[in-house]
Amino acid sequence: EYYTHQISKLDKSLKDASSRLDALTKNRQNGEELVYTVVDKIFQSIGANRAHYFGRAFEGVDMKKIMAKSDDLFGVGGAIRQKLLEHTSNSNKDVIINKVCDDVGLAFKLWDGVFSAIHSPNPTVEHCMETQDRIDKAMAHTRSMGFSVTPKMHGMESHVVRQMGTIPGGIGKLMEHWIEQYHQTGYRFDLAYCRVGSLVGQAAIRSSAEKRARNPRVQLNKMLL
């Protein structure tokens, strides 16, 4: 009974907090020229649009675009930094804005270097050591910004370099976005060949189709079409 009562109290406090957050979000989004709207438009100008996704969270393809443009967005004279500075006349807040933009811009650069390094095929021992050094610097900076360490970040920090060195060819083709892409490919195959009957028959057709698609002459003719 005690724990049930405590859980009920916590559930109510979470619902109240969620309602307050919704109200604050709506107030922040009202008006075309508010900071929230202006910053969203800047992201959209480089092709990163949160409105395309459930929960308005940037996906991996958007993060790649933001990483590539980190200086243009958050660097000295960057579009987002300038907009934030324009919307405050408080010199104390200027210091905070510059500090946050410096931290965010550096974080994107550090992680961009990490992702580039772990994609390398057939990594050498020296490359693996350099990659771990990059990861350590990115993680130290992330912790200094006060972010929690997620399970994926823990995997990156403690396990990925060992996998790079022990899995033949490296882990580039085993990254999550490749797997997610193949989920979509596999789903299309499932729909196309579901009437074949046996799983062995489906696998044979899929294997043949993939092999045919990799043939250079087939790829050339597809390009001509």
Side-chain angles (χ1 to χ4, degrees):
E1 289 178 357
Y2 169 77
Y3 286 121
T4 300
H5 179 66
Q6 291 297 103
I7 290 170
S8 297
K9 284 176 62 179
L10 288 170
D11 280 341
K12 185 178 184 306
S13 66
L14 286 171
K15 289 177 181 176
D16 291 342
S18 179
S19 297
R20 291 197 303 273
L21 179 60
D22 287 341
L24 289 169
T25 301
K26 288 177 182 177
N27 289 335
R28 183 177 61 176
Q29 290 177 330
N30 288 334
E32 283 296 316
E33 296 307 316
L34 293 182
V35 175
Y36 183 92
T37 305
V38 171
V39 169
D40 251 4
K41 287 182 178 178
I42 294 173
F43 280 128
Q44 291 168 18
S45 71
I46 65 166
N49 194 338
R50 294 188 296 173
H52 290 167
Y53 309 104
F54 179 75
R56 292 182 61 80
F58 286 123
E59 295 291 316
V61 65
D62 298 296
M63 296 310 301
K64 287 174 67 176
K65 295 173 184 176
I66 294 171
M67 285 179 175
K69 297 283 187 179
S70 61
D71 279 340
D72 296 337
L73 296 173
F74 302 102
V76 177
I80 289 179
R81 186 192 294 242
Q82 288 302 111
K83 284 297 178 184
L84 294 175
L85 290 172
E86 288 173 11
H87 280 77
T88 180
S89 57
N90 186 327
S91 59
N92 292 328
K93 288 186 177 180
D94 285 358
V95 174
I96 296 172
I97 289 170
N98 284 315
K99 175 68 165 60
V100 169
C101 287
D102 287 341
D103 284 345
V104 171
L106 179 57
F108 280 134
K109 287 183 177 180
L110 290 171
W111 282 112
D112 193 28
V114 169
F115 291 133
S116 176
I118 63 177
H119 276 83
S120 295
N122 303 308
T124 62
V125 174
E126 292 77 13
H127 180 81
C128 289
M129 292 174 62
E130 180 184 338
T131 300
Q132 186 64 60
D133 184 55
R134 290 187 179 194
I135 292 172
D136 292 342
K137 289 178 179 177
M139 288 297 297
H141 184 65
T142 299
R143 288 189 172 97
S144 74
M145 294 174 68
F147 286 107
S148 300
V149 176
T150 65
K152 285 187 178 181
M153 293 169 72
H154 165 73
M156 184 77 80
E157 182 177 32
S158 302
H159 303 291
V160 78
V161 170
R162 180 177 58 81
Q163 293 171 348
M164 288 172 62
T166 55
I167 295 175
I171 62 170
K173 292 293 185 180
L174 303 179
M175 300 300 289
E176 183 181 16
H177 48 269
W178 287 101
I179 303 302
E180 290 299 327
Q181 181 189 35
Y182 201 76
H183 282 167
Q184 305 302 318
T185 304
Y187 178 68
R188 291 195 296 272
F189 278 135
D190 289 342
L191 290 178
Y193 308 130
C194 61
R195 297 183 181 275
V196 171
S198 71
L199 292 175
V200 173
Q202 291 183 34
I205 294 173
R206 288 172 58 170
S207 176
S208 176
E210 289 191 1
K211 182 178 179 181
R212 186 165 57 247
R214 288 196 296 267
N215 185 292
R217 292 180 63 188
V218 173
Q219 292 176 347
L220 176 60
N221 280 290
K222 287 175 69 175
M223 289 174 61
L224 291 174
L225 286 172

